[in-house]
Amino acid sequence: MSAEPDGPEDRLRRFATIWSRAVFPVTSTSLTRPEFEELLLPLARRLRVALLARAFDAEEGRAVGAALVRVHCTDPEALSRALDCVEAYLVLYCGEDGPQEELRLRSSRLQHAMAAGFAQALRERTLAEQEAIARAALQAQGVVAQALHASEARFRAVFEGAAIGIGIADLDGNVLQVNGALQRMFGGGEGAFRARNVKDWTHAEDAPQVWKLYDELVRGEREHYHVEKAFYRPDGTVLWTNLTVSLLRDADGRPQYQLALMEDTTERRLLNLRLRYEATHDALTGLPNRTLFFERLEKVLAAGEGQRFGLCYLDLDGFKTINDSLGHAAGDRLLVEVADRLQSCATAPGEMVARLGGDEFVALTTGPNARHEVDELAARIMNALLAPVRIEGRELTVRGSIGIVEGAAGERSAAEVLRSADITMYRAKSAGGNRFELADPEADARAITRHGLTTALPAALERGEFFIEYQPLVHLGDGSVRGAEALVRWLHPQHGVLGPDRFIPLAEHTGLIVPLGRWVLEQSVRQARDWCERYGDGAPLRINVNLSPCQLTHPGLVQDTVDILERAGVTPQALCLEVTESALIGADDDLLKPLRRLAEMGVDIALDDFGTGYSNLANLRRLPVSVLKLDRSFTQSMQQFPADPVDLKIVEGIVSLAHSLDLAVTVEGVETGAQAEQLRILGCDTAQGWYYARPGPLERLHQLALVDATG
C-alpha cells in the first residue's frame, strides 16, 4: 500500500528546513538550527501565500526580506543563499501544481522584492548603528581625552574593546596607535600602521572635500567630520568605510591628536551596487531599463547650450502574434536576440540602448551632430533587424517601427521627448510599419489633442456637453419639410463646438459610441414626438439618426430602439436609421438580422453615402433598406449649369434602379436652386443641404416647418 502524499504543510516544512540549512551557517545567532528553522517557518508561509495569491503583492516579499535582517541574517551571503533557495525550491514545494511558468515568474519577482526589503531594512539598521557610533565617538572623544590625562587603564579598555576600528594620530598625520578591530579591517599588524602617515591613504575615488575637511580639522578650525572613504589594503583590495574623524584637545584646549573611527561598509556597498544594478537594468536582456534611461536622458537634456540629442523609439511589429502562437518563452528569446543586435548598433561614445518594457526599446545618441547621427542610427537598427531569428526550429522575420526625435538640450523635458517619440513611432506603425518617421510637432499636437478628446469623452457624456442640431429633409416635389437628420455636436470646454468628424471615430474606437448613440436616439425620438404633438397628423415629420458599424453589432440595438420608441410614445414609422454603405459591404445574415427586425417593425432603414462603397447593385434587393441617400460627389457638378452629362446619366440610372426596387432617393449636399431643380427633374424624392438650411437648433426647424405648413 503506497504512502499518503505529503500535504501542503509538510511541503512547506520541508522548504523551511532546506532554507534554514542553507542560511544558518552564515547567520550570527545563538539559536540552534532547529530553533532557527522555527523562525523561518512563518516567513516561508508568507512566501507561499504571496506565490499563490490571485494578485501579486510585492510588499510580502519586501516584508520577508526585512524579517531576515531582524533575525540577524545580515551577512550578504545569507541573502544570496536565501534567494538561491527561493529560486530553486519555492515553486517546487509550494506551487501546488499551478501554472509553472507563471509561478516561476512570480517567484522571480518575489526574490527582487525580498532583496529590496533586505536592503531597506539593512540600511535602516545601519543608520541606527551609525547614530550609535556617532554617540560612541563623542563619548570616546571625552573618555580618551580624560584617559590621556587621568587613566591609561580605562582608555585601553575602551580602545581595545571597541567593535569599530579606532586609530589615533598626531596633527602631522603620523599614526600613533590603532586597535585590533582596525588592524583586522586592513589585514595588517600594528607595526604596519606605525610606519604610515594619514596622508598616504589617498584613494582615486576620494571626494574633493575629504582632504579639505582633514586640513581644517588639524588646523583646529573644525571639531570633527564624517565621510564615506575608500582605502587600499596591503593586498591591493579596497576597503570602504564610514569614517568619523574628531579633534582631541589638551587640558588647555589646544589641538593635540586626531581620533579616527571606522566602520567597514565594503560588503554592504557591494550589495547596494548589486541591488542598484538590478533596479536599473532589465532582468531579461541586461539592457538599461526605463529608470536608468530616464536618468541618462534627463542628464543629457539638462546639459549646457550647444548639446544636441537624437532618440529612436522602436516597437516590434507583430510581436504579440509571436507570443500568442509560440509562447512567451519564444517571445523572450526573440527579445534577447533583438537586444543583442541593438547593442551592436549603438557602440559610439554618447550612444545608449535601453529596454522600456515589453517589445519597446530606445536608442539615444548625443553630440553636436546628433541630427545626422540619429538618422544613421535608425538605419543601422532597421538593417540589423533584417536577418531572420531562428527560434525552436523556426525562422522568424523581425520587423520594427521607429519614431525619431531630435533636438537641442534644454528645450523639452524627458517625458515630452519620449511622448513625441512614442507618437511618431505609432505614426510609422500606422503607415504600414517596418519604417522610421521623424517627429513632426504639428502631428504631435494633433495626436495629443486626439488623446485628450478620447479621455474626455466619457465625462463629457455624463456632464451633458453633447447637443443635437437638425438639418431638414425637404420633399423636392412640393418643397415641404418631411423630416430632419439629427447631427450630434460636442460643446468642448476648451475647443468649442466640435463636429462629429472630430469625435465619432474616437467614440467608435473606445466603444463609447454605443451609449452616445443611444443618447442621440433618445433625444431625437423625443423630438419626433414633439413635432407630432405640434403639427398633428397633417404634417408628419420623420427623424433620421445615424448608426455606426459598432452599434450595428451591439446585441442590444433592437431592444434599445423598441424601448426608446415605446417610452416616447412614438410609432416606428417616425424613425429612420441611416447606415453607411461601406458598413454593409459583404454583410452576412447575422449582421443584417437586427436591421431586418427593425424594418419589419416599421422603422425605415436608409443606405447612407450610396455610391462610395463599390457595392454590387444586385445586393440592394437583399438589404432591408427603404431609402438610398446618394453621396454628394455625384451631384456637385449640378450646382452649375449645364451639369456634367455623365453625372446626370449616373444619377438618372440610380434613381431608376431605386424606384424599381421601391426605394426612395434622398440627395445630400444640395447648395443651389439649379441643383435642386435638376434633381427634381431626375426624379429624386427628398434632399438636404445648405440651400434649404444649415444644421441648426430645433427652433429654426420648427420655423421652417411652420412656413411650409402655412405657406
Side-chain angles (χ1 to χ4, degrees):
M1 187 171 181
S2 60
E4 289 293 322
D6 291 342
E9 282 301 309
D10 294 326
R11 291 194 294 272
L12 180 68
R13 169 66 73 175
R14 189 171 302 171
F15 170 67
T17 300
I18 295 172
W19 189 2
S20 68
R21 287 173 177 169
V23 175
F24 182 78
V26 292
T27 301
S28 300
T29 178
S30 60
L31 300 175
T32 64
R33 195 206 58 77
E35 291 172 337
F36 183 70
E37 179 181 324
E38 291 302 316
L39 288 179
L40 293 184
L41 185 60
L43 303 185
R45 184 170 287 108
R46 294 189 71 168
L47 289 177
R48 182 179 66 179
V49 170
L51 179 71
L52 302 177
R54 176 171 298 181
F56 178 72
D57 185 1
E59 189 57 37
E60 287 296 304
R62 287 193 288 269
V64 171
L68 289 177
V69 175
R70 290 195 297 273
V71 296
H72 307 295
C73 296
T74 55
D75 193 300
E77 180 64 17
L79 174 62
S80 178
R81 293 189 181 189
L83 295 179
D84 290 343
C85 219
V86 171
E87 180 178 10
Y89 299 107
L90 179 62
V91 174
L92 179 64
Y93 286 107
C94 301
E96 297 187 2
D97 301 325
Q100 295 300 296
E101 183 175 345
E102 181 178 343
L103 290 174
R104 283 194 295 272
L105 176 60
R106 180 167 287 191
S107 172
S108 177
R109 295 174 68 186
L110 279 172
Q111 294 168 49
H112 282 282
M114 284 177 63
F118 181 91
Q120 177 66 23
L122 191 59
R123 179 176 178 274
E124 293 171 356
R125 173 173 170 159
T126 300
L127 290 175
E129 290 177 350
Q130 288 175 351
E131 184 178 351
I133 289 170
R135 289 196 299 267
L138 292 176
Q139 293 171 1
Q141 178 180 348
V143 170
V144 170
Q146 257 187 349
L148 288 173
H149 294 291
S151 174
E152 181 69 20
R154 290 174 61 193
F155 164 71
R156 282 294 167 192
V158 173
F159 188 74
E160 293 298 339
I164 61 174
I166 302 177
I168 300 175
D170 60 25
L171 298 183
D172 293 327
N174 300 310
V175 177
L176 303 177
Q177 289 179 310
V178 294
N179 71 348
L182 191 61
Q183 293 174 39
R184 289 190 294 273
M185 287 166 58
F186 276 84
E190 186 175 8
F193 285 91
R194 288 183 180 276
R196 302 292 298 273
N197 188 284
V198 170
K199 289 196 173 181
D200 294 338
W201 277 305
T202 59
H203 190 277
E205 296 194 40
D206 284 344
Q209 72 270 22
V210 167
W211 295 105
K212 178 177 179 292
L213 293 171
Y214 174 82
D215 290 338
E216 292 175 355
L217 181 130
V218 297
R219 290 197 304 265
E221 297 173 3
R222 70 168 47 245
E223 296 301 314
H224 56 82
Y225 64 88
H226 179 83
V227 293
E228 184 180 29
K229 177 165 172 38
F231 294 89
Y232 289 112
R233 293 188 178 102
D235 62 1
T237 59
V238 177
L239 167 70
W240 279 92
T241 69
N242 279 332
L243 172 64
T244 299
V245 183
S246 300
L247 182 65
L248 300 180
R249 299 178 183 269
D250 61 17
D252 297 325
R254 289 187 298 269
Q256 190 171 17
Y257 301 102
Q258 49 179 312
L259 172 70
L261 304 177
M262 295 187 194
E263 178 199 10
D264 185 352
T265 62
T266 306
E267 293 295 336
R268 187 162 67 242
R269 180 179 177 84
L270 292 176
L271 175 61
N272 287 337
L273 289 175
R274 174 187 168 187
L275 294 176
R276 164 67 178 168
Y277 180 87
E278 292 178 352
T280 57
H281 286 75
D282 177 50
L284 176 65
T285 64
L287 291 177
N289 63 11
R290 177 183 289 269
T291 300
L292 186 56
F293 172 74
F294 261 92
E295 290 179 6
R296 172 70 184 281
L297 181 59
E298 287 171 347
K299 187 177 296 184
V300 168
L301 296 178
E305 186 177 349
Q307 176 73 293
R308 299 191 71 84
F309 73 93
L311 186 147
C312 297
Y313 193 118
L314 168 69
D315 183 89
L316 300 182
D317 298 334
F319 178 73
K320 184 178 184 299
T321 303
I322 295 174
N323 264 347
D324 293 344
S325 58
L326 300 182
H328 288 275
D332 286 348
R333 287 197 288 274
L334 176 63
L335 291 175
V336 171
E337 174 65 24
V338 170
D340 291 342
R341 296 186 186 185
L342 294 181
Q343 280 188 300
S344 68
C345 295
T347 57
E351 293 184 341
M352 171 190 187
V353 173
R355 181 188 179 204
L356 296 186
D359 59 333
E360 295 181 341
F361 299 85
V362 285
L364 179 68
T365 183
T366 59
N369 298 319
R371 178 174 300 178
H372 174 68
E373 291 170 355
V374 72
D375 289 339
E376 291 186 345
L377 179 58
R380 290 199 301 271
I381 292 173
M382 297 300 292
N383 188 59
L385 297 179
L386 287 176
V389 178
R390 190 167 186 82
I391 295 177
E392 295 182 353
R394 302 168 181 252
E395 282 196 348
L396 303 180
T397 301
V398 185
R399 292 161 49 94
S401 302
I402 298 178
I404 299 176
V405 177
E406 188 277 335
E411 293 181 349
R412 287 175 284 182
S413 68
E416 290 171 335
V417 169
L418 205 63
R419 179 175 62 181
S420 178
D422 189 24
I423 291 171
T424 308
M425 178 272 293
Y426 276 106
R427 185 151 49 86
K429 195 175 287 287
S430 299
N434 198 30
R435 58 190 293 155
F436 58 83
E437 294 280 350
L438 188 63
D440 176 11
E442 292 185 2
D444 286 359
R446 289 194 296 271
I448 293 170
T449 299
R450 283 197 302 272
H451 176 72
L453 293 178
T454 301
T455 56
L457 269 170
L461 185 58
E462 294 176 3
R463 289 195 295 261
E465 293 177 3
F466 293 97
F467 66 97
I468 299 175
E469 290 187 329
Y470 301 90
Q471 187 170 39
L473 289 161
V474 178
H475 191 272
L476 286 169
D478 58 14
S480 62
V481 176
R482 295 296 178 89
E485 181 178 0
L487 301 169
V488 64
R489 306 285 190 256
W490 183 1
L491 182 57
H492 193 279
Q494 283 80 40
H495 301 291
V497 177
L498 303 178
D501 58 313
R502 293 286 301 277
F503 62 87
I504 290 297
L506 304 180
E508 290 176 338
H509 179 70
T510 59
L512 191 70
I513 191 65
V514 173
L516 177 60
R518 187 184 301 115
W519 178 84
V520 172
L521 186 61
E522 288 174 345
Q523 298 296 315
S524 303
V525 167
R526 190 178 299 123
Q527 188 55 56
R529 180 196 61 197
D530 293 344
W531 281 331
C532 291
E533 292 175 352
R534 177 175 294 213
Y535 300 112
D537 296 336
L541 293 170
R542 185 181 62 186
I543 191 73
N544 285 31
V545 179
N546 292 282
L547 284 183
S548 79
C550 293
Q551 290 175 274
L552 283 177
T553 59
H554 189 263
L557 173 63
V558 175
Q559 190 59 51
D560 284 348
T561 304
V562 171
D563 291 344
I564 290 170
L565 290 171
E566 289 181 351
R567 283 198 302 268
V570 173
T571 63
Q573 289 74 18
L575 176 63
C576 177
L577 298 177
E578 298 188 8
V579 184
T580 59
E581 181 187 17
S582 58
L584 297 183
I585 292 178
D588 56 19
D589 287 339
D590 288 339
L591 183 64
L592 296 178
K593 187 179 298 181
L595 291 181
R596 286 199 179 101
R597 289 184 58 191
L598 291 169
E600 291 166 358
M601 290 165 42
V603 175
D604 282 329
I605 308 297
L607 195 61
D608 199 10
D609 298 330
F610 183 77
T612 62
Y614 309 104
S615 63
N616 187 340
L617 295 179
N619 282 339
L620 282 176
R621 66 171 57 209
R622 60 182 287 269
L623 299 179
V625 299
S626 54
V627 180
L628 291 186
K629 291 196 74 173
L630 194 60
D631 186 74
R632 67 183 64 210
S633 60
F634 290 108
T635 63
Q636 283 179 338
S637 66
M638 300 180 192
Q639 294 178 10
Q640 305 296 328
F641 184 84
D644 186 331
V646 175
D647 285 346
L648 290 175
K649 287 293 184 182
I650 291 174
V651 173
E652 184 179 19
I654 292 175
V655 171
S656 175
L657 173 65
H659 286 170
S660 68
L661 296 174
D662 293 328
L663 303 178
V665 177
T666 298
V667 184
E668 299 177 295
V670 178
E671 298 184 8
T672 67
Q675 189 180 11
E677 178 60 21
Q678 188 66 67
L679 292 169
R680 184 190 65 78
I681 294 172
L682 290 174
C684 297
D685 300 291
T686 55
Q688 64 185 99
W690 287 10
Y691 172 66
Y692 303 105
R694 297 191 180 195
L698 141 78
E699 292 78 8
R700 183 177 179 185
L701 190 60
H702 286 172
Q703 293 170 4
L704 290 171
L706 185 60
V707 169
D708 293 332
T710 58

